Amino acid sequence: MKALQFRRNLPRYAAARIAGGFVPGGGASAGPLSLVDMDPPTAPGPDWVRVRPRLSGICGSDLATVDGRSARYFEPLVSFPFVPGHEVVGDLDDGTRVVLEPVLGCVSRNLHPTCTSCADGRLGNCEHTSFGDLEPGIQTGSCHDTGGGWATAFTAHRTQLHVVPDDMDDVAAVMVEPTACGVHAALAAHVPDNGVVVVLGAGTLGQVTLAALRAHAGPRTIITTARYPEQRRMAGLLGADLVIAPDEVRRAVRRTTGSRAIGAPTIGGAREGVVDRLTGGADVVVDCVGSSASLTDALAVVRPRGRIVLVGMPAEVTLELTPLWHREVELVGAYTYGTETIADGTQRRTFDMATDLVRDADLGRLVTATYPLSRYREALEHAAAAGRRGAVKIAFDLRDEKERNDL
Amino acid sequence: MSNGRHLAPRPGFVLDVDRNSPPIVFHHGEGFRLEKLPPGRSRVIYPAEPLEGLADPDGAIRHALDNPLGDSEPLRSLLHSDMKLTIAFDDISLPLPPMRRPDIRQRVIEAVLDLAAEAGVDDVHLIAALAIHRRMTPDELRHAVGDRVYDAFAPDGRLYNHDAEDPDGMVVLGETPHGEDVQFSRRAAESDLVVYVNINLVAMDGGHKSTATGLSGYTSLRHHHNVHTMSNSRSFMDQKNSALHASNWRMGKVLRDAGVKIFQIETTVNNDTFGRTGPMALLQKREWEWSTRDRMQFLAMKAGLDLMPSGAKRKAFSGWQAPYALTSVQAGEVEAVHEVTTANVYQQQLVAVEGQTDILTMGLPYICPYNVNSIMNPILVMCLGLGYFFNLYRGRPLVREGGVLILSHPTPWEFHPVHHPSYIDFFEQVLADTTDPAEIERKYEKQFAEDEWYIHLYRNSYAYHGVHPFYMWYWGTHALEHLGRVIIVGGDPAAVRRMGFQPASSLQDALEMASDVVGPQPTITHMKNPPIFMADVT
């Protein structure tokens, strides 16, 4: 089969980091990712089936891997070589169209009894990750044994698969996985009724989180930061009340919340009127960027006892945590999905909610361009510059790959 | 003529540009541009030369106080020992640039205080009548009123800035027949006499506006600082055709009916903005009369400015103080006084101009009423060009309806955070949404006007009130309705576009862009301002 494979190769890893530093996505040309012919992964057990991807998305975490920017935290949580790709809509051998829920929890690792988190349906919080019958890998797309979506085939545990409704096309279906992240983040935000929410970042995660907040929370105002015109336009369509440039967020939140502001003192300069941080602020900030700058902004604009939800995958960040301490701010992560408890107390699978949201909010429109595997360098560079090029989600289209259809 | 001296100040002048006309100096913020205008279809309006100042300003002031105009007794007759006296005076926005010491306000206030002392008046307050402008700093107050007055009144709190947001310091005195609330300083309202000390730089200043605006707040201002009023003031510099003027006059009547006794002292200055000698003097000369030395001096100054960082240039220009001379002083009843004042302003500033033009060009200088010791941000560029300068006409606008206005100014995307905090938000949020004054007024004004943080900064820091940038934008309403296009030469493209205007890198480019609107071979008129003039367009 044909696949994009990521090998452990330190010199190439360093080259990817350098190349990615010059041109985002540049790590695809210089790094340890390559297009190869390889044997399809062997099913690790009887409940595993072959999936032939139709569309497979490129995620921000994939780009961080390709450009050598991933946190070292993940080193023991992946197994080399691996095939990236976890946003997948594909076909089973019997022709059933499925989307992949890529988290590898206790069940897929053949661990019994399962950990408490998996028992509760919170697969993303699995306490046995990297153990069991599988090589390490928190998700399909980072585990050697399963393969990944950037290939003409991979293997998946039956519990990882969700049948795609007939009325949902492939482009919409490939958005279900990232949308599930947004749904989970929106629910983790615990937005008070009539509250003010700030969404930092308007890439894919920012957009789907925005849509999920609009669908599953009752905020008075959602403020979204967006760097590029198409991101701004889309954020407006998906329900942002105010879309602003990232460097305008502190003033915008101050205006919206009626807060006062504090300017950090400097030598010789009056600071009244400068907005370095707010005395009040937003009830919730959802950080879909995950950088030092975005987290600093989040801490500057969240109200005392407010909540920051970190959705964007961070690596190492430098952060002044005094405001977190002083203002008793909650900083929580939101990773993937599982089972959600919704307002009426009932529980639903996040993927089911995401499937509904993709349909209701027409999130398939976020898929801007697709590429064949052979043009993976262009695809990754496009994805890394998506905002600037007026795009949101870039995906590989494998439907016409000869190797896929010959399998 | 040969030695550049003139027996009498020459009146304003309209130059028809021909092939022999030299390049014209355009103000360009803290710098200048030399521009060659197309011959045969361009003209340049030059201001009159400065009138001679009064030989004995202090004597003239004393004479005015003793010989009031209209239905008023001499000031000394109005003063008595057990009275409450409030002296209010124009703030930092007048004159422009700030004038050299002694400031006219100092001369007048000292004369008033001498009379008050003779009468044994103890209860005297001095108030900078700034409405919703920023507070004046101690140094600025000292400059305006002089050391003697400042040291006598400021330390014990009897010299201070008006505070339009002081809930205990403001009072509503009534309503005009048009339903306009008249809000006023409580101290002034409760005084036995309010003496107002004005510097009347342009025709819209003074009269009832001094008190009805200067000592009021948002509750009153919103009735005339709005889109409707600005749209119906054509121009707001022409009292007879100004809805702004009419509203202030109605409010003045309410003040009078409420028992507020006002003794108005108005002054006019000549237009000696840049001096007859010194580095800026050639800005008051007509280019074809420049000597070789003038040309060398100008080129050296321009080259130096082009090399200087913006902060240094700003500091250098902010240090300039105009050698204005007092040309008249009149005192007494508000309307009688103001009629004479206006005539004196016109005497210095009116320039007769025949017919309108397709394209009007302006070089905007480094200063406007709201950036003294501050930054001329893009909103103030708009206000100065489309507000003040565009409206410096009587009769008809200099440019025809549907014509093009070309401004020259760097228009940096830069704001003074202490002075203009709400301007930053206005620029980032409001103008990103719409540039339509009516929509802006409807959607955003109330939120900004009532924002607690802006109010805090206005009262306790040196910030313009939260609603002030709205008024600056409304100031351009008439021009926005009238013009077919606005182009800014040399401006920051992003800032220019945010305001709905078009950026151009050169005047030539701007003229080409303008031809899309007004057609080929348009007529062009350049307002060579400052020194300030007012076009009397027939």
Side-chain angles (χ1 to χ4, degrees), chain A residues 232 242 244 247-249 251-252 254-256 258-262 270-275, chain B residues 413 417-418 421-422 424-426 428-429 432 447-448 451-454 456-457 460-461 498:
Chain A
R232 297 173 75 96
L242 184 60
I244 44 141
D247 61 357
E248 297 174 356
V249 67
R251 284 188 172 273
R254 192 213 64 74
R255 286 193 302 269
T256 304
S259 171
R260 295 191 180 190
I262 297 172
R271 301 295 285 173
E272 301 98 336
V274 175
V275 183
Chain B
W413 189 313
V418 175
S422 69
I424 303 172
D425 293 318
F426 183 89
E428 288 184 354
Q429 180 187 11
Q447 175 198 341
F448 276 63
D451 187 303
E452 278 188 21
W453 186 57
Y454 299 146
H456 166 81
L457 293 172
N460 299 289
S461 177
R498 170 62 59 94

Side-chain angles (χ1 to χ4, degrees), chain A residues 255-344:
Chain A
R255 286 193 302 269
T256 304
T257 60
S259 171
R260 295 191 180 190
I262 297 172
T266 57
I267 297 171
R271 301 295 285 173
E272 301 98 336
V274 175
V275 183
D276 284 323
R277 61 178 192 264
L278 308 187
T279 55
D283 299 288
V284 175
V285 181
V286 184
D287 183 353
C288 297
V289 179
S291 67
S292 299
S294 66
L295 279 164
T296 301
D297 277 341
L299 283 166
V301 304
V302 72
R303 68 165 166 78
R305 295 203 163 204
R307 190 173 177 86
I308 299 171
V309 182
L310 181 56
V311 185
M313 188 183 80
E316 283 188 19
V317 296
T318 301
L319 201 58
E320 161 73 79
L321 281 177
T322 310
L324 182 108
W325 164 78
H326 176 230
R327 290 155 67 83
E328 298 188 339
V329 171
E330 287 183 273
L331 174 60
V332 300
Y335 166 66
T336 63
Y337 25 71
T339 303
E340 311 292 348
T341 302
I342 53 180
D344 62 6

Side-chain angles (χ1 to χ4, degrees), chain B residues 172-182 223 250 254:
Chain B
V172 174
L173 295 177
E175 191 179 289
T176 71
H178 288 61
E180 300 150 314
D181 305 294
V182 180
H223 292 296
R250 289 191 293 271
V254 172

